Amino acid sequence: MKTKRYVYRAFALLLTLCAAFSICASATLLSSDQLYDYEVSVSRMGGGQLKIFFSTRGSGTMTRLGAESISISERADGSWQEVASFDRYDSGMSKANASMYKSQIYFDGTEGVEYRIVVTVFAEDSSGSDSRIKTFYVTAT
């Protein structure tokens, strides 16, 4: 009986260790050589105004990091029409020689209109760059 219990416990320990290594491997795959982590959100501020927040953290000091682009489109007659766009060199979009950058961009829309916001965050250094894209669908209030 004790031998059977010992085998079960050893097997359970082995499964636990395998699961732990799998979780660690997955977490490592989420980051890259440049982009350690990021956060993007869109908030309704009222009066049609939208706040686009982003935060990027590099895996060290980056040549440049932040938002590479933000595209804002509104739904008109069943299709999307771009109404505003920002790139990495616009004010508040990115920073040079930093390990972390966060900012917010405000857009004055129209109450009741549905918007699609596509945000591309990035980090780059001398060995390359990496980016991630997040898309939001929001009706301005």
Side-chain angles (χ1 to χ4, degrees):
M1 219 31 140
K2 286 186 178 185
T3 306
K4 207 175 204 184
R5 192 175 306 164
Y6 174 75
V7 170
Y8 284 131
R9 286 184 181 172
F11 186 68
L13 178 63
L14 179 64
L15 285 177
T16 302
L17 289 173
C18 287
F21 285 120
S22 296
I23 292 169
C24 291
S26 296
T28 303
L29 293 174
L30 293 176
S31 63
S32 70
D33 289 342
Q34 291 81 25
L35 191 57
Y36 182 76
D37 70 3
Y38 66 97
E39 178 185 351
V40 181
S41 64
V42 175
S43 303
R44 297 179 194 100
M45 304 305 291
Q49 188 176 64
L50 302 174
K51 178 175 78 171
I52 303 154
F53 169 83
F54 60 89
S55 172
T56 55
R57 188 164 37 144
S59 57
T61 299
M62 297 288 111
T63 306
R64 184 169 285 278
L65 80 163
E68 187 168 46
S69 65
I70 296 176
S71 172
I72 303 170
S73 302
E74 69 179 24
R75 190 184 252 329
D77 299 325
S79 64
W80 294 102
Q81 303 295 320
E82 187 174 70
V83 293
S85 64
F86 305 89
D87 70 26
R88 65 164 68 193
Y89 297 110
D90 287 329
S91 177
M93 289 288 286
S94 66
K95 185 173 184 179
N97 301 314
S99 60
M100 182 181 173
Y101 183 66
K102 59 183 169 180
S103 185
Q104 53 218 8
I105 301 294
Y106 290 90
F107 171 73
D108 291 321
T110 304
E111 291 182 54
V113 173
E114 183 181 9
Y115 293 94
R116 178 182 65 191
I117 298 101
V118 181
V119 181
T120 304
V121 294
F122 78 106
E124 68 183 15
D125 62 11
S126 60
S127 64
S129 66
D130 192 16
S131 63
R132 299 287 187 271
I133 299 172
K134 295 285 275 185
T135 303
F136 299 88
Y137 297 89
V138 177
T139 300
T141 57

